[in-house]
């Protein structure tokens, strides 16, 4: 595929202070844009990062046909740039697209477009350990029509932003049993904008109570744990690693979750993907068997949980320094990403 590219006359990459990268505040020099109209994608273009202009009647603003992905590119010690499992994000993007009545984005645009964009902006991929280039592909409906109907015009874009080392201060989690994130038949399994819009009020209320994030429970019984914000969740109960299974369509199939399961199993740990109730977690806590709990996601990678609040009970976890599993997993994933540990699963997609 041949992508028309309009380059910036001067890169802004040297303006980034590598020792103090503020995530999501700075965007790289270029962005990818592709338009869908009359049932087909037009040729994508790479252009300088800039504002986009649109009609106030643009449908996604009103009716929310809007989806996204989150991916990271890493630079190894030899200076080579690779993206972590982008084909898995591409497949998940199209699962989200299908549920939201949006067109499939072909590999040529999503993967090859991303590769061309990252190659052009390779100087934006930070070099120090723990840093990466965050890649944000997204698509939204662009019909200029305020009647409610499935849209026919769409825009797909990719922007990128350097991300510094994520400091994983252990998080305090509030187990939510009033508000609901997802329910069977809904859109919980998609990375659709509306899922996040609906979570903002519960998040604000949770912060006021002194907790960092919400652990969502199921919308029917408020009993089965689902996931946290933009992370999947793992519990180590006794010597078993347990994570909620994906059946039921309420939980996002995280690429980090899948990587964690594969690495842990390969290393000989018992990993169970199954329905997990908050009562089982509480019982384990009373038996001193709640050993570790952590979130997994592209942004934070592994986020240890120090405290879980549920219905009047505060469950404190053992000190994170003493955890075996999460700390091993974090190191293993970083090793693969920065090229220190062999990439046995071929997860790193080389750009340049
Ligand atoms: C993005 C996201 C995750 C994590 O998925 P990764 O592919 O590991 O980044 C988990 N849950 C939700 C709701 C998310 O939006």
């Amino acid at each position: 595929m041949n992508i028309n590219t309009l380059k910036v006359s001067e890169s802004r990459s040297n303006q980034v202070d590598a020792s103090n990268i503020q995530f999501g505040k700075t965007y790289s020099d270029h962005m990818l844009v592709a338009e869908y109209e009359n049932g087909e994608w037009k040729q994508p273009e790479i252009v300088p990062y800039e504002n986009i202009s649109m009609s106030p009647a643009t449908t996604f603003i009103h009716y929310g046909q809007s989806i996204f992905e989150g991916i990271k590119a890493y630079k190894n010690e030899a200076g080579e740039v690779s993206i972590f499992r982008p084909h898995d994000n591409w497949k998940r993007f199209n699962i989200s697209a299908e549920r939201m009545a949006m067109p499939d984005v072909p590999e040529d645009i999503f993967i090859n477009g991303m590769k061309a964009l990252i190659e052009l902006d390779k100087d934006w991929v930070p070099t120090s350990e723990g840093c990466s280039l965050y890649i944000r592909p997204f698509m939204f409906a662009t019909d200029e029509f305020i009647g409610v109907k499935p849209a026919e015009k769409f825009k797909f874009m990719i922007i990128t932003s350097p991300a510094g080392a994520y400091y994983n201060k252990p998080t305090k989690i509030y187990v939510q049993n009033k508000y609901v994130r997802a329910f069977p038949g809904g859109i919980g399994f998609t990375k659709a904008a509306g899922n996040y819009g609906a979570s903002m009020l519960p998040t604000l209320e949770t912060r006021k109570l002194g907790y960092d994030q919400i652990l969502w429970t199921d919308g029917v019984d408020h009993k089965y744990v689902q996931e946290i914000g933009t992370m999947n969740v793992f519990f180590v109960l006794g010597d078993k690693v347990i994570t909620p299974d994906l059946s039921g369509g309420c939980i996002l199939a995280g690429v980090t979750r899948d990587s964690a399961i594969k690495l842990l199993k390969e290393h000989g740990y018992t990993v169970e993907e199954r329905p997990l109730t908050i009562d089982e977690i509480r019982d384990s806590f009373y038996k001193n068997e709640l050993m570790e709990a952590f979130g997994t996601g592209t942004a934070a990678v592994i986020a240890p949980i120090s405290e879980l609040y549920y219905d009047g009970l505060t469950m404190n976890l053992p000190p994170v320094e003493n955890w075996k599993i999460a700390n091993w997993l974090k190191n293993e994933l970083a090793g693969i990403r920065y090229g220190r540990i062999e990439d046995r699963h071929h997860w790193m997609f080389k750009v340049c």
Side-chain angles (χ1 to χ4, degrees):
M1 184 186 52
N2 152 33
I3 304 176
N4 274 333
T5 302
L6 182 61
K7 289 187 196 170
V8 295
S9 47
E10 205 180 329
S11 172
R12 290 177 282 108
S13 66
N14 56 6
Q15 294 168 14
V16 178
D17 174 3
S19 62
N20 180 27
I21 299 174
Q22 295 205 326
F23 176 68
K25 294 254 166 89
T26 315
Y27 295 91
S28 320
D29 289 327
H30 300 93
M31 62 187 190
L32 180 122
V33 188
E35 313 270 356
Y36 181 91
E37 204 176 343
N38 299 323
E40 61 183 22
W41 286 102
K42 295 190 202 155
Q43 195 67 9
E45 289 181 351
I46 290 175
V47 294
Y49 181 92
E50 62 191 358
N51 290 349
I52 50 179
S53 156
M54 61 186 114
S55 156
T58 303
T59 53
F60 88 92
I61 303 173
H62 303 272
Y63 307 122
Q65 273 179 294
S66 176
I67 61 171
F68 68 98
E69 269 303 328
I71 310 172
K72 277 179 173 174
Y74 300 84
K75 204 174 257 179
N76 67 15
E77 272 166 26
E80 295 162 345
V81 175
S82 303
I83 309 173
F84 188 72
R85 303 187 66 175
H87 294 82
D88 294 273
N89 296 87
W90 167 56
K91 285 178 202 147
R92 186 171 73 191
F93 191 75
N94 283 332
I95 290 171
S96 298
E98 186 187 10
R99 176 63 181 84
M100 297 302 289
M102 301 169 86
D104 208 77
V105 176
E107 183 170 6
D108 224 13
I109 295 180
F110 192 101
I111 297 286
N112 298 340
M114 183 184 304
K115 185 168 187 270
L117 180 68
I118 306 300
E119 193 165 2
L120 184 61
D121 281 342
K122 61 178 180 298
D123 291 346
W124 285 84
V125 187
T127 37
S128 36
E129 171 88 32
C131 297
S132 57
L133 186 70
Y134 183 81
I135 307 168
R136 168 54 60 90
F138 56 109
M139 170 164 56
F140 52 96
T142 55
D143 290 25
E144 296 172 8
F145 180 69
I146 54 165
V148 182
K149 69 166 184 61
E152 288 163 6
K153 280 169 61 181
F154 298 88
K155 199 191 275 279
F156 171 74
M157 298 182 66
I158 305 178
I159 58 176
T160 70
S161 176
Y166 203 97
Y167 172 58
N168 284 324
K169 182 168 92 54
T171 72
K172 292 171 68 179
I173 297 288
Y174 183 90
V175 181
Q176 181 56 253
N177 55 4
K178 179 172 94 173
Y179 295 112
V180 173
R181 192 193 91 94
F183 40 84
I187 58 170
F189 65 94
T190 70
K191 251 177 144 68
N195 281 333
Y196 306 86
S199 74
M200 298 304 173
L201 176 68
T203 300
L204 279 180
E205 292 185 2
T206 301
R207 294 217 178 122
K208 273 193 203 137
L209 294 170
Y211 295 89
D212 303 311
Q213 297 208 58
I214 294 166
L215 172 58
W216 299 97
T217 52
D218 74 280
V220 181
D221 303 311
H222 285 302
K223 189 167 105 175
Y224 295 96
V225 299
Q226 291 182 335
E227 57 183 322
I228 300 172
T230 57
M231 294 189 291
N232 295 109
V233 70
F234 286 72
F235 291 88
V236 180
L237 306 182
D239 57 2
K240 285 184 186 146
V241 186
I242 303 166
T243 189
D245 64 299
L246 301 176
S247 67
C250 293
I251 297 176
L252 195 92
V255 177
T256 322
R257 174 189 182 277
D258 182 74
S259 310
I261 293 170
K262 290 200 166 102
L263 292 175
L264 290 169
K265 282 188 174 167
E266 194 180 64
H267 199 63
Y269 288 111
T270 304
V271 184
E272 296 179 356
E273 289 180 73
R274 60 166 171 85
L276 174 62
T277 63
I278 189 68
D279 291 345
E280 183 179 346
I281 296 167
R282 189 174 50 188
D283 291 348
S284 293
F285 171 72
Y286 284 136
K287 287 191 271 177
N288 286 323
E289 287 182 354
L290 174 54
M291 313 305 290
E292 303 182 25
F294 52 93
T296 64
T298 295
V301 187
I302 305 291
I305 295 169
S306 55
E307 184 182 322
L308 268 178
Y309 174 88
Y310 170 62
D311 197 22
L313 173 70
T314 297
M315 297 177 250
N316 284 300
L317 280 97
V320 175
E321 311 83 79
N322 302 341
W323 294 8
K324 269 211 192 86
I325 295 177
N327 291 331
W328 175 83
L329 185 59
K330 189 178 167 199
N331 192 50
E332 190 75 8
L333 273 170
I336 294 169
R337 286 167 167 158
Y338 295 99
R340 289 191 308 272
I341 295 177
E342 194 201 338
D343 179 18
R344 303 178 297 272
H345 298 277
H346 307 290
W347 284 339
M348 302 310 291
F349 176 72
K350 186 151 179 241
V351 172
C352 55

